[in-house]
Amino acid sequence: MFFAILQRLGQMIFVMFGISTLVFLIFFATPGSDPAARIAGRNAAQETVQAIRKDFGFDKPLPVQYVVMMKKLFVTRDLTSFVNRGLEVVPQVMRAAPITLSLVFGAAVLWVFGSIAVGVLAAMYRDTVIDKGLMILALIGVSMPVFWLGELMNLVSQSRFHDTWLFSWVPGLGYKPFFDGPWMWFKTLVIPWFTLAALYIGIYGRVLRANLVEAYQEDYVRTARAKGLSPGRVMLRHALRMSMIPFVTMFGLDFGVLVGGAALLTEVVFGLNGVGRLTYQAMLNLDLPMILATVMYASFFVVVTNAIVDIIYVVIDPRVRGH
């Protein structure tokens, strides 16, 4: 077990090194990519570009520039923005991370429990009105773009019906930190949670339903039913457990990507200044230090989430333990 953890840590470091190198080379080594010229702006004098190149250390060899940037990012943590001079990027990411984590964790709880409920009920009542109704609702959830659903929820809760008893409790757009008031934090995020989770409940519910239907054709489920086990026990202890393997795989990938900034549209619609919005603004300005910091943050969570998924495999699938 200890060796497996060390191996996973080594893989994590290798992946993050590869990602950081790739991002660095894209902005510094590709033809025509001169960060000094981008910082100086259009029609800048050549003397100005040369002064910026020397000031930022762009006149040094690429390996030296990479090492210096990684040192400032991970060791001294004083890497500053190329666009907003003097603005340190690590504190900016640390301030945005709790917002994205709060959004994605809450939505993940909803979509995991919601999709399991949809998939299990649809499989247990296969080919009935309940099954067809749930699959139609799941398809509707998949078909609604996040930004459209978010704007619709804002129109209903912030404008049209905000003064009614139904939505008078909804606060204005923005984020309220958890430690400033847990109840206000919850009220701020509950609608964004449902907005982000709707798509994934539809996708995961349909996938889980298909996996459960297939599992009911397997020999181990037939054996369990032949032993006289109750339908609920057969579902939860046998069919559902094995059907959760593809579910967990999808969840690991989607959760890591969303925490890494893919929840951008939800953040923009609800005025949440999370990592996705921070990355988007950095991309617009071609602010390499900020882009590098957010990409490293995203890669860390993707790798960690996949490591956790591997551990969950061992728990839910006895065949993995044998290896």
Side-chain angles (χ1 to χ4, degrees), residues 74-142:
F74 292 106
V75 181
T76 60
R77 301 179 65 179
D78 58 352
L79 184 63
T80 57
S81 168
F82 286 171
V83 176
N84 301 308
R85 296 294 301 273
L87 181 66
E88 296 184 353
V89 301
V90 174
Q92 288 288 104
V93 175
M94 291 299 101
R95 279 193 288 269
I99 301 174
T100 299
L101 288 171
S102 297
L103 172 64
V104 177
F105 267 102
V109 171
L110 289 178
W111 98 55
V112 166
F113 286 101
S115 56
I116 290 176
V118 169
V120 169
L121 286 174
M124 290 185 69
Y125 297 97
R126 185 174 43 155
D127 297 330
T128 66
V129 175
I130 295 176
D131 177 23
K132 295 177 181 178
L134 288 173
M135 289 301 97
I136 291 174
L137 290 176
L139 184 60
I140 293 173
V142 173

Side-chain angles (χ1 to χ4, degrees), residues 246-259:
F247 186 99
V248 170
T249 303
M250 292 173 56
F251 178 81
L253 294 173
D254 289 333
F255 184 83
V257 171
L258 285 173
V259 172

Side-chain angles (χ1 to χ4, degrees), residues 103-104 107 111 146 149 191-200 258 262-263 266:
L103 172 64
V104 177
W111 98 55
V146 171
L149 180 59
I191 293 180
W193 286 341
F194 277 100
T195 301
L196 183 59
L199 166 67
Y200 294 97
L258 285 173
T266 309

